[in-house]
Amino acid sequence: FSLFKSEDGLFVSGNNFYGQLCIDDSVGGNVFTPVLLDAVEEPSIVAEFEAIKTSSFILFKDGSVGACGRNNFGQLGDGTNDDRVRSAIEPLPDDLPIRKLGVGPSSESVFFVNDDGVTYATGLNDRGQLGVGDKENRNVLTEVDFGVNVNAGKLSASGDHTLSR
């Protein structure tokens, strides 16, 4: 599936089996031409958007994050493991806005960096790819403890490992 941003809006196309296009009317099917994502009324409020294997994330300039799609490992970070057409990421424990997303195309894990540079992770963790000290999946944002004062400049996740710089 694909996400596109233009001055006219955020558009989606492709497979929507799990609701990963964030649109209701085609859940379980395919969208063959780009469709305007009406949940984002003004494209200028979108800071960035990312897609993982079967989920999508929209980071808004105010630091909030919208998510949709498959959630079998808790990758939407909404405190459940239920697939969603639309969801909001649970607030960070410190209530600071999110400023960066870290994902990868084959990943089922997601990383979030707040204003202070603290990194949080959610989703699949069967190989320790969240970096939280165990192999338990997470469905809420969990702080990644680097052990030193690290401000992740870039995070990239795959199906079984994560890189950060």
Side-chain angles (χ1 to χ4, degrees), residues 141-164:
L141 277 60
T142 304
E143 186 173 344
V144 178
D145 182 6
F146 285 95
V148 293
N149 189 14
V150 171
N151 187 340
K154 172 110 176 119
L155 288 154
S156 182
S158 82
D160 60 6
H161 69 283
T162 304
L163 300 173
S164 176

Side-chain angles (χ1 to χ4, degrees), residues 28-106:
N30 293 307
V31 175
F32 295 107
T33 59
V35 172
L36 180 65
L37 181 58
D38 61 1
V40 178
E41 296 174 10
E42 179 55 50
S44 65
I45 66 171
V46 175
E48 67 179 277
F49 54 93
E50 298 285 352
I52 61 174
K53 192 172 184 179
T54 50
S55 307
S56 299
F57 299 85
I58 303 170
L59 174 60
F60 296 98
K61 289 183 179 175
D62 69 359
S64 63
V65 178
C68 61
R70 192 158 194 196
N71 198 27
N72 56 324
F73 299 113
Q75 57 266 46
L76 298 185
D78 65 358
T80 75
N81 287 68
D82 301 326
D83 299 343
R84 306 264 187 204
V85 172
R86 291 198 180 95
S87 186
I89 301 296
E90 290 295 308
L92 292 174
D94 54 20
D95 289 326
L96 290 175
I98 296 168
R99 294 298 173 210
K100 194 177 303 173
L101 299 174
V103 302
S106 64

